[in-house]
Amino acid sequence: MKAGSNLEKLLRAGEFVATGEIGPPKSCDANVITHAGEMLRNHADAFNLTDNQTAIVRMSSIAAGKILTDMGIDPIIQMTCRDRNRIGLQSDALGAAALGIKNVLCLSGDHQRFGNHPMAKNVWDMDAITLIQTLDGLRKGYFQNGEEIKKCEPPKFFIGCAANPFADPFEFRVTRLEKKVDAGADFVQTQCILDMERFERWMELVRERGLHERCFITAGLMPIKSAKGARYMQKNVAGMMVSDEICERLEKAEDVKAEGVQLVVDQINYIRKNIKGVAGVHIMAVAWEEIIPTIIEKAGLAPRPKVS
Amino acid sequence: MIIANGKPIEEVLKSLEGHKKVAVLGCRGCVTVCLAGGEKEVGILASQIRMAREQAGQPVEVLEGTVERQCDYEYFEQVKDIIEEADAIVSIACGVGVQGVAETFPEKVVYPGLNTMFMGANLNVGVWAERCQGCGNCVLEISGGVCPVARCSKSLMNGPCGGSQNGKCEISKDVDCGWQLIYDRLSKIGRVDSLRNIIPPKDWSTSRDGGPRKLVREDLQLESGK
Ligand code: SF4
Ligand code: SF4
């Protein structure tokens, strides 16, 4: 056991996990987090708190994570390398650990060009891979510069990372995951799967290299509300792939929202039945968090298992 | 070379408001090659200034001069006279040249006439692209001769990130993904396996992050006897 978070315990117990995502508000309104926490508690095992996602200023993921921790809910705080250098990242990681946060998901971060402060200076002193390595070093008792952490137990982290089977070059995508696992990643959340065939091919390569045995892979899923939205993502969002099949299914649907939910439910069933090496699902219901309980229920994943 | 581009004429005119006699100073180095600040551009900018001020009913006398290189201060000797005569200088060299004027003529007002953009290559007629950020610790040997610092939008050392698709960077369909280029090059020279290794965080202390940089070559100093 690396950190003993709810997520880690369930994964190590062999449970098929379900995680969700809560976007911190563009304000200091703590109620947004407590409200989401109350609504979603017990419907998923842990919740991502995004770190200024798409480079839009929001409440810090660590602060939001602390609010959830106080509610007895397991947070997964995201940390990107866009806004902080190795000094800031390590400092914040130590702070998160001091506040009782255990799961940290390391990301390179979206470029600020599409955010709400496109004139900002960016950092990228480190990248996702070296951030993982740095957190792994911290939990082994060393700072990035090799200095020892003294007078205190090292922080405990359950380290997560992202993997994007839909980006290019395809063959490199598994190598990249392998690098992240080598660096110390314990669990993985994939980019949302809207092209199951490609995900399956990627998983095949993952299994060939035995990576599913070296880390926990959770499949990223996203309920879509509108057919237009699906087409937009298909054409315009870098690093995403949306199959025509999915677009058409939504276009034909009478009740698109219901179809979007059913689609995710079908995906969960399909993955559990057919794809070996997937340890759980990560549901990214962006601005539609309230749908998570329905999805979990319909996919037969309720009630969520308890561990002590 | 250093690539620069002319500032909008309105901006130049704004800075010259109130001046009666100005000197436009070009450079025969990089900015001549990238057609932004050579003798020809000095002539063009000088007439633009004259015409605009004439039309505005505030005529100005504009002197013209171009030196070998504004980054080698001894060349300013050639244009000393017009600089002394003018009450403001517009340097259309790169930022180094503008500062050269300021350092050499501490009592003179100097304005930049160009925006200095990057170190890059001339790819086509009228097209220049960034190739190096002068990080002071070149890593081109591991990246197949394609610079990750200058050509990846995030200067990542372990790319390509998850935003790379169809060879393009997540920031724009008009920007090549630097790491896709690195990947392709390493594939061609049979070294793609090296991407399997984790490249540690870069030492940025040799870059701008370490503070203003200076190079002193003692070997050359000894040789010249200075
Ligand atoms: S690695 Fe540094 S020195 Fe080499 S090309 Fe890139 S920025 Fe320039
Ligand atoms: S898409 Fe490519 S160039 Fe753009 S940030 Fe990612 S790795 Fe760098």
Side-chain angles (χ1 to χ4, degrees), chain A:
Chain A
M1 202 69 70
K2 296 272 174 65
S5 65
N6 188 51
L7 177 65
E8 182 180 12
K9 285 179 186 162
L10 289 172
L11 282 167
R12 296 207 189 280
E15 296 286 354
F16 189 84
V17 303
T19 53
E21 197 155 296
I22 297 173
K26 289 168 81 174
S27 73
C28 60
D29 186 359
N31 291 326
V32 174
I33 304 295
T34 45
H35 174 79
E38 282 311 341
M39 177 176 70
L40 300 174
R41 153 200 312 279
N42 300 327
H43 296 289
D45 308 315
F47 296 89
N48 279 26
L49 293 150
T50 47
D51 176 11
N52 298 302
Q53 199 175 15
T54 62
I56 289 171
V57 179
R58 291 174 178 278
M59 183 191 291
S60 110
S61 62
I62 296 174
K66 162 73 171 155
I67 296 172
L68 287 192
T69 303
D70 288 349
M71 296 170 71
I73 299 172
D74 193 23
I76 302 168
I77 56 144
Q78 297 193 351
M79 284 186 107
T80 79
C81 302
R82 179 191 55 234
D83 311 321
R84 283 164 291 185
N85 65 10
R86 63 193 83 178
I87 302 169
L89 287 165
Q90 291 184 94
S91 161
D92 281 354
L94 292 177
L99 293 172
I101 291 166
K102 293 173 174 141
N103 310 306
V104 184
L105 189 95
C106 304
L107 302 164
S108 294
D110 301 317
H111 194 273
Q112 75 276 9
R113 177 181 292 205
F114 300 113
N116 63 355
H117 291 72
M119 287 175 169
K121 202 166 187 306
N122 57 43
V123 182
W124 284 299
D125 176 30
M126 299 204 282
D127 50 43
I129 293 174
T130 47
L131 174 58
I132 295 167
Q133 211 170 32
T134 300
L135 294 189
D136 186 52
L138 287 178
R139 68 183 173 184
K140 287 174 177 153
Y142 294 93
F143 290 101
Q144 195 273 334
N145 64 354
E147 222 173 85
E148 208 177 322
I149 299 175
K150 292 192 185 122
K151 297 189 192 139
C152 174
E153 285 287 300
K156 293 189 169 69
F157 297 118
F158 189 47
I159 303 176
C161 67
N164 188 355
F166 312 102
D168 290 321
F170 180 65
E171 327 79 70
F172 179 72
R173 289 297 137 192
V174 182
T175 305
R176 186 164 167 84
L177 175 60
E178 193 166 24
K179 286 174 83 162
K180 290 181 175 180
V181 174
D182 286 349
D186 304 306
F187 71 100
V188 181
Q189 295 177 345
T190 73
Q191 168 69 289
C192 32
I193 302 164
L194 292 164
D195 185 332
M196 193 55 83
E197 198 199 311
R198 169 105 161 193
F199 176 66
E200 279 195 273
R201 273 199 288 142
W202 181 79
M203 275 305 297
E204 245 167 62
L205 299 178
V206 165
R207 287 192 303 269
E208 262 170 37
R209 296 215 205 161
L211 296 177
H212 63 305
E213 278 154 3
R214 295 179 58 207
C215 67
F216 298 102
I217 296 170
T218 61
L221 299 172
M222 180 167 69
I224 305 179
K225 276 182 182 171
S226 96
K228 262 198 200 137
R231 283 285 179 205
Y232 179 84
M233 284 191 287
Q234 184 182 46
K235 295 201 182 81
N236 298 310
V237 180
M240 286 194 80
M241 268 191 176
V242 187
S243 69
D244 279 328
E245 190 194 321
I246 286 182
C247 292
E248 282 160 20
R249 191 170 152 182
L250 293 167
E251 277 157 1
K252 277 189 206 133
E254 266 170 39
D255 183 344
V256 183
K257 280 184 164 184
E259 193 65 23
V261 170
Q262 192 53 47
L263 205 136
V264 172
V265 171
D266 292 349
Q267 285 180 318
I268 297 175
N269 290 330
Y270 184 87
I271 289 168
R272 293 186 76 180
K273 204 166 146 223
N274 302 299
I275 309 181
K276 204 178 142 241
V278 178
V281 286
H282 174 64
I283 300 164
M284 289 168 264
V286 185
W288 197 15
E289 282 113 349
E290 64 277 14
I291 201 65
I292 292 177
T294 313
I295 293 172
I296 296 295
E297 189 79 33
K298 286 195 161 189
L301 293 172
R304 298 308 307 146
K306 295 265 175 279
V307 282
S308 49

Side-chain angles (χ1 to χ4, degrees), chain B residues 76-128:
Chain B
F76 287 123
E77 196 56 37
Q78 302 166 353
V79 287
K80 207 166 162 225
D81 295 348
I82 62 166
I83 288 182
E84 308 264 91
E85 212 185 303
D87 53 60
I89 323 296
V90 179
S91 163
I92 57 170
C94 70
V96 179
V98 181
Q99 293 179 64
V101 176
E103 272 175 65
T104 314
F105 306 97
E107 73 294 345
K108 286 287 172 187
V109 179
V110 60
Y111 300 113
L114 303 182
N115 288 317
T116 304
M117 299 181 70
F118 51 80
M119 284 188 264
N122 188 189
L123 301 184
N124 215 323
V125 180
V127 181
W128 293 269

Side-chain angles (χ1 to χ4, degrees), chain B residues 196-217:
Chain B
R196 178 71 188 74
N197 307 324
I198 296 173
I199 301 170
K202 192 164 164 47
D203 174 0
W204 295 109
S205 68
T206 56
S207 191
R208 183 214 57 83
D209 308 271
R213 293 171 282 177
K214 188 174 185 177
L215 173 66
V216 179
R217 292 261 314 260

Side-chain angles (χ1 to χ4, degrees), chain A residues 108-109 111 124 168 173 176 238, chain B residues 148 151-156 158-165 167-172 175-180:
Chain A
S108 294
H111 194 273
W124 284 299
D168 290 321
R173 289 297 137 192
R176 186 164 167 84
Chain B
R151 302 183 70 184
C152 164
S153 305
K154 302 173 187 168
S155 295
L156 301 177
N158 290 282
C161 77
S164 176
Q165 213 166 33
K168 299 298 173 190
C169 171
E170 69 176 36
I171 71 161
S172 162
V175 176
D176 289 333
C177 167
W179 273 96
Q180 177 73 55

